[in-house]
Amino acid sequence: MTMVLREELLKLQQKEIELIRLKTKKRELEEEKEELLSKVEDLEKKIESAKLKLEEKRKQLRELKNFISYKKERIEELKRQKESAKDREEFKRILRLIAKSEDEIIKASQQITGVETEIEALKDAYVKVKEQFQPKIKELQENISDLNEEKAAVDKKIEKVISEIEQIKSSIPNGELEEFEKMKEKFNGLVFADISTGSCEGCGMTYSSAEFRELLHRLQPGKTKCPYCGRFIYKK
């Protein structure tokens, strides 16, 4: 008995293929978005790194200034102690502590000069990094926004096609659907093959001119099969 498939199954196959393509498109959009997000993150890290270097150097400057303030207060305290020294040895000890604190202030002041120079250089570097990367970040974010819109449109199409697939399935008896699923496994998902180009979309076999004319003459979707692979054939 020659097997016959109803044309609704051809529509079902076309919708299922459309769904696969849409899901592939969605996956590609998601991968592209992840790639752009990664680029944004890398650029933001570069800006943040320049900012952190500047902040660390500013922190070092504050610490040096606080150190000098502390040492100056310590010197004033030692001067008061010097006035009430009990003996010459204590007096000398206090003088040594004052001299040491003054040396430390000089060294810290010299460090401050170097740190302030580094801060100016880091400020310039930070500004340049922002000027270089922020426009790129903005452009990438705009591209991400466009991808989100495109993905939302694809999601709507996916919902619509899924609904159409369910509607088609509801009009076909379960037994025929089960048989169709078995045939999909046998023919790698392509039960119906288009022959519009003169060759079978399923097996790739090119028909002779005579074969092609004969197939077109008797072509009935769901009835006519490819003489080489056995798939049901149709012409778009």
Side-chain angles (χ1 to χ4, degrees):
M1 180 179 177
T2 303
M3 181 177 290
V4 177
L5 295 183
R6 63 178 69 210
E7 288 194 39
E8 284 84 352
L9 288 170
L10 170 57
K11 293 177 184 177
L12 177 60
Q13 175 180 285
Q14 290 169 334
K15 288 297 175 183
E16 287 178 339
I17 291 172
E18 184 181 357
L19 182 60
I20 290 170
R21 287 173 179 162
L22 286 169
K23 287 183 175 180
T24 300
K25 178 64 176 176
K26 178 180 178 179
R27 186 169 61 254
E28 289 171 351
L29 290 171
E30 288 171 343
E31 288 172 356
E32 188 177 351
K33 178 183 174 181
E34 287 303 312
E35 185 178 342
L36 293 181
L37 285 171
S38 177
K39 288 180 179 179
V40 168
E41 185 179 356
D42 288 343
L43 294 177
E44 287 178 338
K45 280 181 179 178
K46 289 177 181 178
I47 293 175
E48 185 64 20
S49 175
K51 181 181 178 182
L52 285 174
K53 287 177 182 177
L54 177 58
E55 288 176 350
E56 286 170 4
K57 197 56 66 174
R58 282 173 171 165
K59 180 183 176 183
Q60 184 182 357
L61 179 62
R62 288 193 300 271
E63 289 173 348
L64 285 169
K65 287 181 176 180
N66 289 338
F67 177 77
I68 289 173
S69 296
Y70 165 73
K71 285 298 177 180
K72 285 180 178 179
E73 291 173 2
R74 177 64 175 154
I75 288 171
E76 291 303 315
E77 181 185 345
L78 289 169
K79 284 179 179 179
R80 289 192 293 271
Q81 291 177 10
K82 183 182 69 171
E83 296 301 324
S84 57
K86 296 177 181 179
D87 51 41
R88 188 169 180 80
E89 286 301 317
E90 186 179 355
F91 184 82
K92 287 181 178 180
R93 182 182 64 80
I94 293 171
L95 284 179
R96 286 195 298 271
L97 290 173
I98 290 173
K100 182 182 177 184
S101 293
E102 288 173 339
D103 286 342
E104 289 174 334
I105 288 173
I106 292 170
K107 288 178 182 177
S109 298
Q110 291 171 341
Q111 283 182 275
I112 283 175
T113 302
V115 169
E116 286 176 337
T117 301
E118 290 180 65
I119 285 173
E120 289 305 312
L122 289 171
K123 280 168 66 176
D124 289 341
Y126 179 46
V127 169
K128 286 178 182 177
V129 166
K130 286 201 296 183
E131 288 175 348
Q132 180 183 0
F133 294 135
Q134 281 182 335
K136 292 182 180 179
I137 290 173
K138 183 180 178 182
E139 181 183 350
L140 288 169
Q141 289 173 334
E142 288 172 354
N143 291 339
I144 290 168
S145 178
D146 291 341
L147 286 174
N148 285 334
E149 289 180 8
E150 191 174 353
K151 180 178 170 296
V154 170
D155 282 335
K156 284 185 178 180
K157 289 179 182 179
I158 287 174
E159 289 179 11
K160 181 174 180 290
V161 171
I162 289 174
S163 175
E164 290 170 343
I165 287 173
E166 292 305 315
Q167 189 174 356
I168 294 171
K169 284 184 174 181
S170 67
S171 69
I172 302 172
N174 288 335
E176 290 187 37
L177 284 174
E178 289 173 6
E179 186 62 32
F180 184 64
E181 289 300 321
K182 291 178 183 177
M183 293 178 72
K184 278 167 64 178
E185 290 182 16
K186 177 182 177 181
F187 293 121
N188 295 319
L190 203 66
V191 177
F192 294 88
D194 178 33
I195 61 167
S196 300
T197 62
S199 60
C200 176
E201 179 187 19
C203 64
M205 182 64 70
T206 299
Y207 305 122
S208 67
S209 298
E211 279 179 322
F212 191 48
R213 283 196 302 271
E214 174 63 21
L215 286 171
L216 291 179
H217 177 70
R218 58 185 177 85
L219 185 62
Q220 290 184 345
K223 293 183 180 180
T224 313
K225 294 182 179 181
C226 172
Y228 298 100
C229 67
R231 288 179 173 87
F232 290 91
I233 54 177
Y234 72 99
K235 184 176 181 296
K236 287 182 180 177

PDB file of all heavy atoms in Angstrom, residues 76-92:
ATOM      1  N   GLU A  76      56.244  69.284  68.767  1.00  0.00           N
ATOM      2  CA  GLU A  76      55.760  70.265  69.749  1.00  0.00           C
ATOM      3  C   GLU A  76      55.668  69.637  71.133  1.00  0.00           C
ATOM      4  O   GLU A  76      56.022  70.264  72.155  1.00  0.00           O
ATOM      5  CB  GLU A  76      54.391  70.805  69.312  1.00  0.00           C
ATOM      6  CG  GLU A  76      54.428  71.685  68.065  1.00  0.00           C
ATOM      7  CD  GLU A  76      55.359  72.869  68.230  1.00  0.00           C
ATOM      8  OE1 GLU A  76      55.320  73.533  69.297  1.00  0.00           O
ATOM      9  OE2 GLU A  76      56.147  73.116  67.300  1.00  0.00           O
ATOM     10  N   GLU A  77      55.222  68.394  71.157  1.00  0.00           N
ATOM     11  CA  GLU A  77      55.119  67.684  72.433  1.00  0.00           C
ATOM     12  C   GLU A  77      56.507  67.468  73.044  1.00  0.00           C
ATOM     13  O   GLU A  77      56.722  67.654  74.261  1.00  0.00           O
ATOM     14  CB  GLU A  77      54.415  66.350  72.212  1.00  0.00           C
ATOM     15  CG  GLU A  77      54.238  65.543  73.489  1.00  0.00           C
ATOM     16  CD  GLU A  77      53.641  64.165  73.234  1.00  0.00           C
ATOM     17  OE1 GLU A  77      53.111  63.935  72.129  1.00  0.00           O
ATOM     18  OE2 GLU A  77      53.748  63.315  74.134  1.00  0.00           O
ATOM     19  N   LEU A  78      57.483  67.075  72.169  1.00  0.00           N
ATOM     20  CA  LEU A  78      58.864  66.852  72.639  1.00  0.00           C
ATOM     21  C   LEU A  78      59.506  68.157  73.120  1.00  0.00           C
ATOM     22  O   LEU A  78      60.283  68.161  74.095  1.00  0.00           O
ATOM     23  CB  LEU A  78      59.702  66.236  71.506  1.00  0.00           C
ATOM     24  CG  LEU A  78      59.376  64.774  71.156  1.00  0.00           C
ATOM     25  CD1 LEU A  78      60.057  64.368  69.862  1.00  0.00           C
ATOM     26  CD2 LEU A  78      59.800  63.828  72.288  1.00  0.00           C
ATOM     27  N   LYS A  79      59.185  69.241  72.485  1.00  0.00           N
ATOM     28  CA  LYS A  79      59.727  70.545  72.912  1.00  0.00           C
ATOM     29  C   LYS A  79      59.233  70.891  74.313  1.00  0.00           C
ATOM     30  O   LYS A  79      59.975  71.431  75.139  1.00  0.00           O
ATOM     31  CB  LYS A  79      59.332  71.636  71.923  1.00  0.00           C
ATOM     32  CG  LYS A  79      60.140  71.607  70.629  1.00  0.00           C
ATOM     33  CD  LYS A  79      59.687  72.711  69.675  1.00  0.00           C
ATOM     34  CE  LYS A  79      60.515  72.697  68.393  1.00  0.00           C
ATOM     35  NZ  LYS A  79      60.083  73.729  67.437  1.00  0.00           N
ATOM     36  N   ARG A  80      57.970  70.558  74.581  1.00  0.00           N
ATOM     37  CA  ARG A  80      57.430  70.801  75.921  1.00  0.00           C
ATOM     38  C   ARG A  80      58.128  69.907  76.952  1.00  0.00           C
ATOM     39  O   ARG A  80      58.418  70.334  78.077  1.00  0.00           O
ATOM     40  CB  ARG A  80      55.906  70.576  75.939  1.00  0.00           C
ATOM     41  CG  ARG A  80      55.109  71.649  75.191  1.00  0.00           C
ATOM     42  CD  ARG A  80      53.634  71.550  75.494  1.00  0.00           C
ATOM     43  NE  ARG A  80      53.061  70.315  74.948  1.00  0.00           N
ATOM     44  CZ  ARG A  80      52.562  70.197  73.727  1.00  0.00           C
ATOM     45  NH1 ARG A  80      52.588  71.245  72.907  1.00  0.00           N
ATOM     46  NH2 ARG A  80      52.047  69.070  73.310  1.00  0.00           N
ATOM     47  N   GLN A  81      58.370  68.654  76.533  1.00  0.00           N
ATOM     48  CA  GLN A  81      59.069  67.730  77.432  1.00  0.00           C
ATOM     49  C   GLN A  81      60.509  68.204  77.690  1.00  0.00           C
ATOM     50  O   GLN A  81      61.048  68.037  78.795  1.00  0.00           O
ATOM     51  CB  GLN A  81      59.078  66.318  76.833  1.00  0.00           C
ATOM     52  CG  GLN A  81      57.710  65.663  76.788  1.00  0.00           C
ATOM     53  CD  GLN A  81      57.758  64.295  76.128  1.00  0.00           C
ATOM     54  OE1 GLN A  81      58.839  63.762  75.871  1.00  0.00           O
ATOM     55  NE2 GLN A  81      56.576  63.739  75.862  1.00  0.00           N
ATOM     56  N   LYS A  82      61.105  68.783  76.665  1.00  0.00           N
ATOM     57  CA  LYS A  82      62.494  69.270  76.797  1.00  0.00           C
ATOM     58  C   LYS A  82      62.608  70.340  77.875  1.00  0.00           C
ATOM     59  O   LYS A  82      63.588  70.380  78.636  1.00  0.00           O
ATOM     60  CB  LYS A  82      62.956  69.827  75.443  1.00  0.00           C
ATOM     61  CG  LYS A  82      64.416  70.293  75.416  1.00  0.00           C
ATOM     62  CD  LYS A  82      64.793  70.882  74.059  1.00  0.00           C
ATOM     63  CE  LYS A  82      64.045  72.210  73.879  1.00  0.00           C
ATOM     64  NZ  LYS A  82      64.496  72.957  72.694  1.00  0.00           N
ATOM     65  N   GLU A  83      61.603  71.185  77.964  1.00  0.00           N
ATOM     66  CA  GLU A  83      61.634  72.276  78.937  1.00  0.00           C
ATOM     67  C   GLU A  83      61.611  71.746  80.373  1.00  0.00           C
ATOM     68  O   GLU A  83      62.091  72.397  81.300  1.00  0.00           O
ATOM     69  CB  GLU A  83      60.442  73.210  78.714  1.00  0.00           C
ATOM     70  CG  GLU A  83      60.445  73.923  77.368  1.00  0.00           C
ATOM     71  CD  GLU A  83      61.682  74.775  77.164  1.00  0.00           C
ATOM     72  OE1 GLU A  83      62.157  75.372  78.155  1.00  0.00           O
ATOM     73  OE2 GLU A  83      62.188  74.819  76.023  1.00  0.00           O
ATOM     74  N   SER A  84      61.058  70.571  80.527  1.00  0.00           N
ATOM     75  CA  SER A  84      60.967  70.017  81.889  1.00  0.00           C
ATOM     76  C   SER A  84      61.865  68.791  82.076  1.00  0.00           C
ATOM     77  O   SER A  84      61.576  67.925  82.912  1.00  0.00           O
ATOM     78  CB  SER A  84      59.509  69.666  82.193  1.00  0.00           C
ATOM     79  OG  SER A  84      59.007  68.747  81.231  1.00  0.00           O
ATOM     80  N   ALA A  85      62.896  68.684  81.248  1.00  0.00           N
ATOM     81  CA  ALA A  85      63.816  67.540  81.355  1.00  0.00           C
ATOM     82  C   ALA A  85      64.463  67.500  82.729  1.00  0.00           C
ATOM     83  O   ALA A  85      64.881  68.528  83.272  1.00  0.00           O
ATOM     84  CB  ALA A  85      64.884  67.622  80.277  1.00  0.00           C
ATOM     85  N   LYS A  86      64.583  66.302  83.319  1.00  0.00           N
ATOM     86  CA  LYS A  86      65.104  66.149  84.680  1.00  0.00           C
ATOM     87  C   LYS A  86      66.621  66.253  84.733  1.00  0.00           C
ATOM     88  O   LYS A  86      67.197  66.711  85.738  1.00  0.00           O
ATOM     89  CB  LYS A  86      64.673  64.809  85.262  1.00  0.00           C
ATOM     90  CG  LYS A  86      63.162  64.697  85.426  1.00  0.00           C
ATOM     91  CD  LYS A  86      62.780  63.324  85.939  1.00  0.00           C
ATOM     92  CE  LYS A  86      61.273  63.185  86.078  1.00  0.00           C
ATOM     93  NZ  LYS A  86      60.877  61.853  86.549  1.00  0.00           N
ATOM     94  N   ASP A  87      67.274  65.794  83.630  1.00  0.00           N
ATOM     95  CA  ASP A  87      68.740  65.853  83.618  1.00  0.00           C
ATOM     96  C   ASP A  87      69.215  66.027  82.177  1.00  0.00           C
ATOM     97  O   ASP A  87      68.415  66.046  81.220  1.00  0.00           O
ATOM     98  CB  ASP A  87      69.343  64.597  84.241  1.00  0.00           C
ATOM     99  CG  ASP A  87      68.777  63.324  83.654  1.00  0.00           C
ATOM    100  OD1 ASP A  87      68.584  63.275  82.401  1.00  0.00           O
ATOM    101  OD2 ASP A  87      68.490  62.368  84.395  1.00  0.00           O
ATOM    102  N   ARG A  88      70.536  66.131  82.037  1.00  0.00           N
ATOM    103  CA  ARG A  88      71.137  66.385  80.723  1.00  0.00           C
ATOM    104  C   ARG A  88      70.920  65.212  79.764  1.00  0.00           C
ATOM    105  O   ARG A  88      70.696  65.410  78.558  1.00  0.00           O
ATOM    106  CB  ARG A  88      72.635  66.660  80.906  1.00  0.00           C
ATOM    107  CG  ARG A  88      73.310  67.135  79.618  1.00  0.00           C
ATOM    108  CD  ARG A  88      74.715  67.640  79.900  1.00  0.00           C
ATOM    109  NE  ARG A  88      75.342  68.085  78.675  1.00  0.00           N
ATOM    110  CZ  ARG A  88      75.130  69.269  78.090  1.00  0.00           C
ATOM    111  NH1 ARG A  88      74.242  70.106  78.623  1.00  0.00           N
ATOM    112  NH2 ARG A  88      75.761  69.603  76.970  1.00  0.00           N
ATOM    113  N   GLU A  89      70.979  63.984  80.273  1.00  0.00           N
ATOM    114  CA  GLU A  89      70.795  62.799  79.423  1.00  0.00           C
ATOM    115  C   GLU A  89      69.394  62.789  78.805  1.00  0.00           C
ATOM    116  O   GLU A  89      69.227  62.510  77.620  1.00  0.00           O
ATOM    117  CB  GLU A  89      71.031  61.524  80.232  1.00  0.00           C
ATOM    118  CG  GLU A  89      72.495  61.242  80.545  1.00  0.00           C
ATOM    119  CD  GLU A  89      73.322  61.116  79.291  1.00  0.00           C
ATOM    120  OE1 GLU A  89      72.851  60.449  78.320  1.00  0.00           O
ATOM    121  OE2 GLU A  89      74.449  61.663  79.261  1.00  0.00           O
ATOM    122  N   GLU A  90      68.405  63.084  79.631  1.00  0.00           N
ATOM    123  CA  GLU A  90      67.022  63.134  79.128  1.00  0.00           C
ATOM    124  C   GLU A  90      66.877  64.256  78.106  1.00  0.00           C
ATOM    125  O   GLU A  90      66.185  64.110  77.097  1.00  0.00           O
ATOM    126  CB  GLU A  90      66.039  63.329  80.282  1.00  0.00           C
ATOM    127  CG  GLU A  90      64.583  63.251  79.817  1.00  0.00           C
ATOM    128  CD  GLU A  90      63.598  63.423  80.961  1.00  0.00           C
ATOM    129  OE1 GLU A  90      64.037  63.504  82.121  1.00  0.00           O
ATOM    130  OE2 GLU A  90      62.392  63.450  80.670  1.00  0.00           O
ATOM    131  N   PHE A  91      67.559  65.409  78.395  1.00  0.00           N
ATOM    132  CA  PHE A  91      67.510  66.555  77.494  1.00  0.00           C
ATOM    133  C   PHE A  91      68.067  66.165  76.109  1.00  0.00           C
ATOM    134  O   PHE A  91      67.478  66.472  75.072  1.00  0.00           O
ATOM    135  CB  PHE A  91      68.323  67.715  78.109  1.00  0.00           C
ATOM    136  CG  PHE A  91      68.257  68.983  77.319  1.00  0.00           C
ATOM    137  CD1 PHE A  91      67.185  69.852  77.458  1.00  0.00           C
ATOM    138  CD2 PHE A  91      69.283  69.316  76.432  1.00  0.00           C
ATOM    139  CE1 PHE A  91      67.137  71.034  76.730  1.00  0.00           C
ATOM    140  CE2 PHE A  91      69.235  70.493  75.702  1.00  0.00           C
ATOM    141  CZ  PHE A  91      68.157  71.352  75.851  1.00  0.00           C
ATOM    142  N   LYS A  92      69.214  65.454  76.132  1.00  0.00           N
ATOM    143  CA  LYS A  92      69.832  65.016  74.872  1.00  0.00           C
ATOM    144  C   LYS A  92      68.947  64.012  74.133  1.00  0.00           C
ATOM    145  O   LYS A  92      68.844  64.026  72.899  1.00  0.00           O
ATOM    146  CB  LYS A  92      71.200  64.398  75.152  1.00  0.00           C
ATOM    147  CG  LYS A  92      72.275  65.403  75.525  1.00  0.00           C
ATOM    148  CD  LYS A  92      73.594  64.662  75.762  1.00  0.00           C
ATOM    149  CE  LYS A  92      74.719  65.651  76.091  1.00  0.00           C
ATOM    150  NZ  LYS A  92      76.003  64.948  76.322  1.00  0.00           N
TER     151      LYS A  92
END
